[in-house]
Amino acid sequence: MADLTPANALDLLETVDLIVDGTDNFETRYLLNDAAVKLGSRGFYGAAVGSYGLKLTVVPGRTACLKCIYPEPPGVRSRPANRRRSRARDHAIAALQVADA
Ligand SMILES: [Zn+2]
């Protein structure tokens, strides 16, 4: 087991075909995205804040990547005040990511 860093991301991910994001921050999502694009691996991203969630499937060379859609991480001002965790919301987003994968 190792922490994912810019120095080891390509080495850790080069043997996988699919990358399913379960992270809680854009720094790591961008790291996964950059590695997936370089490696040609499909990426399945999910995020949930407040009462809603989003999912994104990225197929390198065929779709926009995470950075194309979100060139900058959402700022604190764009985040809803209500940041409570919702297990049902999180599970729904995860299920959609897995269905896409
Ligand atoms: Zn892109």
Side-chain angles (χ1 to χ4, degrees):
M1 183 175 287
D3 290 333
L4 186 71
T5 69
N8 67 11
L10 291 177
D11 288 338
L12 290 175
L13 298 170
E14 70 181 350
T15 60
V16 302
D17 296 322
L18 309 174
I19 297 173
V20 181
D21 164 47
T23 65
D24 64 354
N25 65 82
F26 266 82
E27 179 182 6
T28 307
R29 286 188 186 113
Y30 285 146
L31 185 55
L32 290 171
N33 178 74
D34 292 348
V37 169
K38 285 180 184 169
L39 296 168
S41 302
R42 288 179 284 161
F44 304 89
Y45 301 90
V49 176
S51 61
Y52 66 93
L54 304 166
K55 60 106 176 152
L56 171 70
T57 297
V58 174
V59 181
R62 292 185 55 204
T63 67
C65 76
L66 184 65
K67 270 191 180 169
C68 291
I69 297 170
Y70 295 102
E72 300 290 332
V76 172
R77 286 187 212 146
S78 68
R79 292 181 181 158
N82 179 1
R83 299 182 65 204
R84 288 181 300 148
R85 301 300 300 177
S86 164
R87 296 181 114 195
R89 174 206 60 203
D90 294 350
H91 293 174
I93 295 300
L96 291 170
Q97 288 177 264
V98 171
D100 283 354

